[in-house]
Amino acid sequence: MSGAGKVVCVTGASGYIASWIVKLLLDRGYTVKATVRSLSDPTKTDHLLSLHGAKERLQLFEANLMEEGSFDYVVDGCEGVFHTASPCVLEVSNPQEELIKPAVKGTQNVLCSCAKVPSIKRVVVTSSIASVAFNNRPRNPDVVIDETWFSDPVYCEESKEDKMPVKHLKFPVMACNIVLIG
């Protein structure tokens, strides 16, 4: 599969999953327009800039999930978008305001930017680790975690972990499989 000549966007590119998506896309010849919260933070950019092919085909952009239109210029000219950016906070006092609202608003903002670009053929939205992490299943090196591992709202509600953001959700949490554009 060759991405030569194709341009895609990866939001939240400094994150673990997004960094791997950027690497795989560059390895396959894609030009990647990647967003980070801050271009001036080397801990968010250096690992991306060191990837094979980054010098020739990686463009980094600063974008704000909460700012409408912040992704317009980034997704312009792209064929696909991998939206991985989302708040990643382990301890919250108000999950609705600190996690859910920014995640939903951020996704809406990215999708609105994508809707303005006729060249976009596919958008992939990834999910949070919270969607599969809280279910009381054993985890060891032999266990494969996949889309059947949805977090169990009952387990989350009964858990003694007060800091667990998922326990406050009143709807099922689902994961998204990550696929590359063909």
Side-chain angles (χ1 to χ4, degrees):
M1 178 186 309
S2 172
K6 296 178 182 175
V7 181
V8 296
C9 172
V10 179
T11 69
S14 61
Y16 181 77
I17 291 173
S19 295
W20 276 100
I21 293 171
V22 171
K23 180 195 180 317
L24 291 169
L25 290 166
L26 289 172
D27 286 348
R28 292 182 179 178
Y30 287 86
T31 295
V32 179
K33 296 168 87 174
T35 68
V36 294
R37 286 184 198 152
S38 172
L39 290 171
S40 61
D41 183 352
T43 65
K44 304 292 184 188
T45 59
D46 285 357
H47 68 290
L48 295 168
L49 295 170
S50 70
L51 293 171
H52 177 73
K55 184 181 263 188
E56 301 81 18
R57 291 177 280 107
L58 176 65
Q59 302 166 18
L60 295 180
F61 298 85
E62 195 169 287
N64 182 345
L65 279 175
M66 299 305 289
E67 185 180 315
E68 192 173 322
S70 183
F71 291 85
D72 288 359
Y73 66 99
V74 183
V75 300
D76 189 42
C78 291
E79 290 187 34
V81 175
F82 294 85
H83 176 49
T84 69
S86 192
C88 184
V89 183
L90 297 178
E91 294 187 26
V92 295
S93 58
N94 185 338
Q96 184 66 34
E97 289 299 314
E98 296 172 54
L99 287 175
I100 298 169
K101 187 176 178 181
V104 171
K105 180 67 173 165
T107 300
Q108 289 173 332
N109 285 338
V110 170
L111 291 175
C112 285
S113 291
C114 292
K116 299 173 188 175
V117 180
S119 61
I120 293 179
K121 298 175 184 170
R122 180 173 299 164
V123 177
V124 177
V125 179
T126 62
S127 182
S128 164
I129 185 71
S131 65
V132 295
F134 306 109
N135 57 25
N136 203 25
R137 287 185 172 178
R139 291 178 194 89
N140 61 52
D142 298 327
V143 173
V144 175
I145 298 174
D146 61 16
E147 64 275 5
T148 66
W149 271 61
F150 302 130
S151 291
D152 179 5
V154 175
Y155 170 75
C156 294
E157 191 63 39
E158 293 171 352
S159 174
K160 300 271 188 225
E161 296 289 325
D162 289 331
K163 304 283 187 201
M164 194 179 307
V166 178
K167 84 177 214 174
H168 300 283
L169 300 179
K170 301 300 182 204
F171 52 85
V173 182
M174 302 175 72
C176 172
N177 288 329
I178 298 171
V179 293
L180 292 176
I181 297 171

